[in-house]
Amino acid sequence: LASLTDPVSIKCLSGNALVDPKSPQTRAHTAWALGLIKSPATLDDLIKTLNDADETVQVKVIEAIGCLPNNAVAVEHLLKKLNAAGPPTVKSAAALALGQTKSESVLVHLQKKLNDPQWLVRAGALDNLGNQRYFVFNRQAGRTLYGELAYRF
């Protein structure tokens, strides 16, 4: 599926398979494939699927959005998922996807999640703050990571 990069195939995936009412598996695999394709044209359809009833579908949609090129709209929706009440797997996926966007604006949100009551959410935030590519470009992220590790150990 991920090799289908022509606009018609992408529209079929995002417009049909991503919203298949019968199969959460189909929706999850479609979201995964759309993440690999990395087409900004899929963002609107992925955003519409962010609140899917199936947790696995939500996680795969979030991961797919994180794979798209840096986009303020994507960051906004990922932040909503990170800060909303919901399963820790969804919030952790949002933290990881936010790190993939390489947006400087997410740093403060990831720092706040280091105190989240759910360990999985803390781990997702810490993983991004510890990502070499991320904190090389941002000294504040490096200081936060160092402080968090010193506090925890």
Side-chain angles (χ1 to χ4, degrees), residues 64-118:
I65 290 173
C67 291
L68 298 177
N70 188 4
N71 182 312
V73 174
V75 169
E76 175 188 338
H77 285 279
L78 291 173
L79 283 172
K80 284 180 184 175
K81 289 306 270 188
L82 177 67
N83 293 317
T89 53
V90 171
K91 293 174 75 166
S92 178
L96 292 168
L98 282 165
Q100 288 180 311
T101 66
K102 300 177 190 158
S103 171
E104 292 287 323
S105 67
V106 304
L107 178 61
V108 69
H109 298 281
L110 292 174
Q111 288 171 329
K112 287 178 185 175
K113 290 302 169 185
L114 292 175
N115 295 317
D116 194 273
Q118 296 289 330

